[in-house]
Amino acid sequence: MDFLKRPSIPEDAVQYQLFLVHPDPSDAEAHERFLQQILQNILAEIAPLLVQYIWQHQAFNLRYHPEKGDVPAHLGGVTQFGDNVEDEWFIVYLLKHITRTFSDVAAVVYDNDGQFLLIEAAEHLPKWLDPDSSENRVFLFWGELHILPNRTHSGEVGWPRNSVPAVGQALEVLHSHTESCLAKQPICSALARRLDGYPDKIQQNFHRVHCYVPAGIAVVLSRRPDLISPAVSAFYLRDPVDLQACRTFRTFPPDTRVMTSAKFTRCLYAQLQQQSFVPDRRSGFTLPGRSHPQYRAHELGMKLAHGFEILCSKSGQSSSEKEASVSSNPLWRGFLDSLKKNGYFKGELEGSIRYKDLMTSAESFFRQSVTSTHRPDIQNPGQEVMNVLEDASYSLEELKNQEAHLPPEDSDAWLDISPQELERLLEERGGRGVSDGTRKTPQPDEELQEEEAGYSLIAVTKGMKNFINAVSSHEGAEIPRSCLAEPFSYDPDAVTSALDRLLGSKDDELDSDDFEDDDDEGNDVNDDEEVQNGESQEQAGAEALDNLRKYMDEMDQELQSTNIGKSFASNKADASKSSSSASRSELVEEEIQPLDVDLNLVSNLLESLASQAGLAGPASNLLQSLGIHIPPDKPCSEGLLWSKFVRLL
């Protein structure tokens, strides 16, 4: 597919589609009804995971899309995840869960980078699979990653690399050859490692902390915890015009402040915590000294209050039309019945406080996941905050009494990361050092063995030679793969034939014009002329070789007067011979000393590494890409490495 024809996706958004693997195109209306029913079942299935989830910007949403071009009717949506990439991967987990639960549904997910699932497993992909050949080939089906294989011969399963299958054709291959399309185990394992911890990771990603906020905000957060996300975004992306509404605080006066427990995601908490802000003196917000034990609660509450005030100041700018109740949506009744069948209300009596809270969360989830996709003009978080304030009745005295029963705060030690922890995370993300999700602490003997294997200077020279000898394409240099599943094959006849075509064989040296005359002229060529031609060719070759030797000798003589020879190290045996006898010094100067290529290679690499002073540079980057890990720089490290190399030689 032409990249220019792809639909544009924002940089911080993910798009997903759910297709029926074996649709019935004969009846379009029945197909639409079936998809709508599946939509209700899907929302009811994932509702327990999503009603308490806090999205960074937009929620996971699905709606029906009719057939368009070669794309069949399907369910799909787009979610803008903002700065929280975990939202994108949580959606991938949801799609895997959906396809595992509903076996007749296959999912496609991509962002502005294309098939980002393949990027996660890039080290394990076959060489034929690239962004051009992956179009309409990658699916989540039965809870696993499936890739349509490359078909090189007729009758094989898959699709040719140089053509793009239509979605319907790809789904047909996926349905009829599911096992053949299943991705290889290393690819599936790489994706599983990235999704490791879900759904428990949802709760681990939350951060609960005490905030000193106006009473209205405390009520809003108790009814709609998800509204903390647009409030933090409003404060984080504020401008001078937004702050004009925070001079008076008409909606949330600071004199009604109470202590409450707020639930953030880690991304939202980091955004709010790391912002430096001094409130306007006219706002009425005052902060205690930094040594005060509740300074952080006052500061976070002040920032949250500014965010909520900015939201409410914009509540009437998007649309003057009041949002309709979810009960008027025809999909709501079926969605509610599915929730009851799945035990969402946990046996609570209808009308109880817990039942009402669950119903409010379900309505909010349904509004974000279904209604907002049909009516984007009425999605206004500021108006939702005002609606909660209008429907809620609270007592300031009661809120102050609840301060003594607040749950404890979570530690924010995760904000501080040590260099060792950063190195471990980078190794995990790079696929090194972790194989099964747990990091093993090496013993002293194991550390020595890893050190010997990791930066053996013999391995340095071998790795560099393999890299230089590797065949690369027009796309750039490629790192040689030492663990290829396919054995190396060598066809001497094919190589000989290729060389003949490149250099020209003896038969090709004869021009076809030589045979234009009649046969009599061809018979007149005598043996003496052939011998003379052969001798002339030998003389020309000898003269060319002599000229080349003369040129090399002159170049050597010219270089002897420079210092360039000092940058190369000669063989130790030859050097010892040259120093054993002073009488042969003139002869040694005249002769060219044989060079030890490995010695020069390692010495130059070590010098380059030393000049990097422990930072990233060309030498370390090249060695890391070859799988050769140099230890951290230490005193005399270059000398130790050099002595070790000499000993190994």
Side-chain angles (χ1 to χ4, degrees), residues 123-124 193 422-440 450 454 620-621 623-630:
E123 296 181 356
H124 310 288
R193 283 195 300 269
L422 178 61
E423 182 69 21
R424 184 186 67 82
L425 293 175
L426 291 177
E427 288 183 358
E428 289 181 359
R429 297 294 297 133
R432 297 186 289 105
V434 177
S435 58
D436 57 354
T438 59
R439 185 173 179 85
K440 178 182 176 182
E450 291 180 0
S620 60
N621 292 341
L623 293 176
Q624 289 282 346
S625 64
L626 295 174
I628 302 169
H629 313 305
I630 301 298

Side-chain angles (χ1 to χ4, degrees), residues 541-607:
E543 290 179 0
L545 185 58
D546 291 339
N547 291 334
L548 179 61
R549 288 175 178 171
K550 279 183 183 179
Y551 176 77
M552 296 298 295
D553 292 340
E554 291 178 0
M555 185 172 64
D556 291 339
Q557 293 296 331
E558 183 177 352
L559 291 177
Q560 282 183 1
S561 60
T562 65
N563 295 327
I564 192 171
K566 297 180 180 180
S567 62
F568 296 96
S570 60
N571 189 276
K572 295 184 295 183
D574 295 325
S576 62
K577 290 179 182 179
S578 62
S579 61
S580 62
S581 177
S583 62
R584 299 177 56 190
S585 59
E586 297 180 357
L587 180 61
V588 172
E589 291 178 357
E590 295 178 359
E591 295 180 355
I592 303 299
Q593 292 291 337
L595 297 180
D596 192 329
V597 179
D598 294 344
L599 195 65
N600 285 278
L601 170 65
V602 173
S603 62
N604 291 334
L605 281 176
L606 291 177
E607 184 178 356

Side-chain angles (χ1 to χ4, degrees), residues 71 115 122 176 208 296 307 422 446 469 504 533 600 613 637 641 645:
V71 180
Q115 300 287 351
S176 56
R208 295 167 179 83
R296 186 180 62 175
L422 178 61
E446 295 178 354
N469 295 329
N533 291 335
N600 285 278
S637 61
L641 288 173
F645 175 70

Side-chain angles (χ1 to χ4, degrees), residues 126-145:
K127 296 201 68 174
W128 63 265
L129 191 59
D130 53 32
D132 294 331
S133 61
S134 64
E135 195 71 32
N136 294 343
R137 283 181 179 265
V138 184
F139 296 90
L140 291 172
F141 186 50
W142 288 1
E144 295 293 342
L145 184 65

Side-chain angles (χ1 to χ4, degrees), residues 51 54 74 94 104 124 177 195 249 288 301 317 322 350 405 442 453 461 474 490 535 552 568 646:
V51 289
I54 298 178
H74 62 279
L94 289 177
D104 54 349
H124 310 288
H177 304 282
L195 299 176
F249 275 91
Q317 294 181 9
K322 186 175 179 59
E350 187 172 353
H405 307 285
T461 59
H474 65 281
Y490 174 74
E535 292 178 353
M552 296 298 295
F568 296 96
V646 173

Side-chain angles (χ1 to χ4, degrees), residues 474-486:
H474 65 281
E475 296 180 353
E478 298 180 6
I479 301 302
R481 297 187 178 186
S482 58
C483 54
L484 284 176
E486 302 84 358

